[in-house]
Amino acid sequence: MRIALGSDHVGLELKEQVKQYLTEKGIECVDVGCYTAERVHYPEYAKKVGEAVVGGACELGMLFCGTGVGMSIAANKMKGIRCVVCSEPYSAQLSRQHNNTNVLALGSRVIGVELAKMIVDAWLSAEYEGGRHAIRVDMISCLEK
Ligand code: RB5
């Protein structure tokens, strides 16, 4: 399992904490930046993570900004990306099972690191169920055309 991680300056610290957590679990992390506290523009990093996922370099992606909202809006503009912004584990789990999300966005100003880890665990341990959900996910893909 390889996961692309991206953040802006506000999400940087949470990204580092989640990266360490994932690495300890044996998950390979590809950190596309940012790497310093210098102010940056979050769509740039949403694009990098989206490209890593759509291009197949990474199976999944995670994005970190102040709320997770800007990152998720930007990522969802990319064809093939289904990004969920979460502040609790239940939606994270269901977003995988029903919506086949491939990018998770978290807000460093909204949640703490321990809740972030619970959300990450819920998201990673859930599997897409397909079946009745597949037609709806296909309908979402049709909106990209
Ligand atoms: C940056 O100030 C902030 O707007 C960004 O981190 C994020 O919260 C946007 O949605």
Side-chain angles (χ1 to χ4, degrees):
M1 166 72 74
R2 191 183 295 167
I3 300 183
L5 303 182
S7 74
D8 68 359
H9 53 293
V10 183
L12 175 62
E13 189 180 337
L14 185 60
K15 180 186 69 177
E16 292 301 324
Q17 291 165 323
V18 170
K19 183 167 67 177
Q20 184 181 339
Y21 183 62
L22 293 173
T23 303
E24 284 167 6
K25 282 173 168 283
I27 294 171
E28 188 180 345
C29 295
V30 177
D31 187 347
V32 303
C34 67
Y35 306 114
T36 73
E38 186 183 339
R39 196 167 292 187
V40 292
H41 303 305
Y42 59 80
E44 188 182 333
Y45 299 93
K47 181 170 186 275
K48 286 175 192 263
V49 165
E51 285 172 346
V53 173
V54 170
C58 295
E59 286 97 320
L60 297 170
M62 293 185 188
L63 291 165
F64 305 83
C65 65
T67 58
V69 173
M71 283 292 201
S72 64
I73 291 172
N76 278 319
K77 295 291 182 191
M78 299 181 70
K79 190 172 161 65
I81 294 298
R82 289 173 302 280
C83 177
V84 61
V85 55
C86 279
S87 52
E88 39 73 29
Y90 182 72
S91 300
Q93 177 189 327
L94 268 290
S95 81
R96 287 282 284 157
Q97 292 174 337
H98 291 191
N99 315 113
N100 199 17
T101 51
N102 49 15
V103 177
L104 172 68
L106 298 173
S108 65
R109 288 173 170 157
V110 181
I111 58 170
V113 63
E114 295 307 321
L115 183 52
K117 289 176 188 174
M118 291 175 72
I119 294 168
V120 164
D121 284 342
W123 192 65
L124 290 180
S125 58
E127 283 182 21
Y128 179 47
E129 292 175 357
R132 72 184 192 278
H133 304 293
I135 187 168
R136 298 157 188 166
V137 173
D138 287 347
M139 288 170 75
I140 293 172
S141 301
C142 285
L143 297 174
E144 295 174 333
K145 291 172 189 150

